[in-house]
Amino acid sequence: MIDDLKISLQENIPLDDKDLKHIETQEKGFKKVLPMVLGGSVFLLMAFTAFLIRDHFAGFKCYDYILFVCAGFAMYGFCYCMAWLVMRYDSANWKKDKTYGKNKLISMVINRDKTEHAEYLTFAGPSENEKIRIRVKPEDYSRYPTGIKLTVIYLKFSKEALELNRFD
């Protein structure tokens, strides 16, 4: 049945302002969580370090404890700075070069996959035995069964569906 189906993939569709706003809202959500994740990671790393040198704590002076805490803050600052630079670079590229942002696929749903974090639809790709797995919204996941032909517009790199429509 898939052999008779005309599958087409249109790549490198320019992003419009609506798509850029969608990407920015996702980045804002990540930026809210980033300090807590980094703080927890640095805390666990410092706790592990303290566990490894637990026998040497008896010889520590007051300034040694202060240096240990300052090293933790310096590590947090360095990691936060690197994450901030990567996010700035990434968002600058999305805004500067809008030509590689999304793809349009006309294909059939060949599989449905649900994880604890997201729902995915798998589509038949343009070449033989190629499969394209795209994350969709929960309402779209429940709306479209396996075997239906759809037109999907999705972000190229994150493989997230922006728009799903029935293809008749």
Side-chain angles (χ1 to χ4, degrees):
M1 180 168 175
I2 294 178
D3 297 335
D4 301 334
L5 181 67
K6 299 247 191 262
I7 298 171
S8 70
L9 177 63
Q10 187 179 10
E11 295 184 307
N12 300 327
I13 301 171
L15 294 171
D16 55 6
D17 291 334
K18 179 184 166 190
D19 299 329
L20 290 174
K21 292 248 188 246
H22 176 74
I23 292 169
E24 285 178 5
T25 56
Q26 286 184 329
E27 284 181 350
K28 284 181 183 177
F30 180 71
K31 287 178 185 177
K32 287 180 183 177
V33 176
L34 179 68
M36 293 177 281
V37 170
L38 283 177
S41 300
V42 168
F43 176 77
L44 288 175
L45 187 62
M46 296 301 287
F48 181 69
T49 305
F51 174 75
L52 291 178
I53 62 170
R54 67 184 179 275
D55 297 332
H56 301 288
F57 275 134
F60 274 22
K61 305 284 188 234
C62 181
Y63 61 87
D64 291 326
Y65 292 110
I66 293 171
L67 286 175
F68 187 74
V69 170
C70 287
F73 283 122
M75 189 179 338
Y76 176 82
F78 176 76
C79 292
Y80 188 81
C81 181
M82 288 294 122
W84 182 78
L85 287 173
V86 167
M87 286 187 300
R88 290 280 297 202
Y89 178 76
D90 188 40
S91 64
N93 280 341
W94 279 108
K95 292 174 184 172
K96 179 182 72 171
D97 188 10
K98 299 179 182 182
T99 60
Y100 66 93
K102 60 184 178 179
N103 293 343
K104 181 179 179 181
L105 175 69
I106 299 173
S107 182
M108 179 184 290
V109 178
I110 57 173
N111 195 7
R112 294 163 39 108
D113 185 20
K114 190 172 189 176
T115 65
E116 63 183 62
H117 300 292
E119 290 85 18
Y120 299 91
L121 294 177
T122 304
F123 295 89
S127 60
E128 190 176 332
N129 295 329
E130 182 182 2
K131 297 175 183 176
I132 301 173
R133 185 176 182 230
I134 299 173
R135 189 174 81 202
V136 296
K137 296 176 186 165
E139 56 268 10
D140 290 334
Y141 179 79
S142 61
R143 186 180 313 150
Y144 300 115
T146 304
I148 193 167
K149 189 172 180 183
L150 295 174
T151 302
V152 59
I153 297 175
Y154 64 95
L155 292 174
K156 183 175 184 174
F157 296 108
S158 66
K159 300 274 182 147
E160 180 184 351
L162 296 174
E163 184 179 329
L164 281 167
N165 295 315
R166 269 197 135 122
F167 187 81
D168 297 320

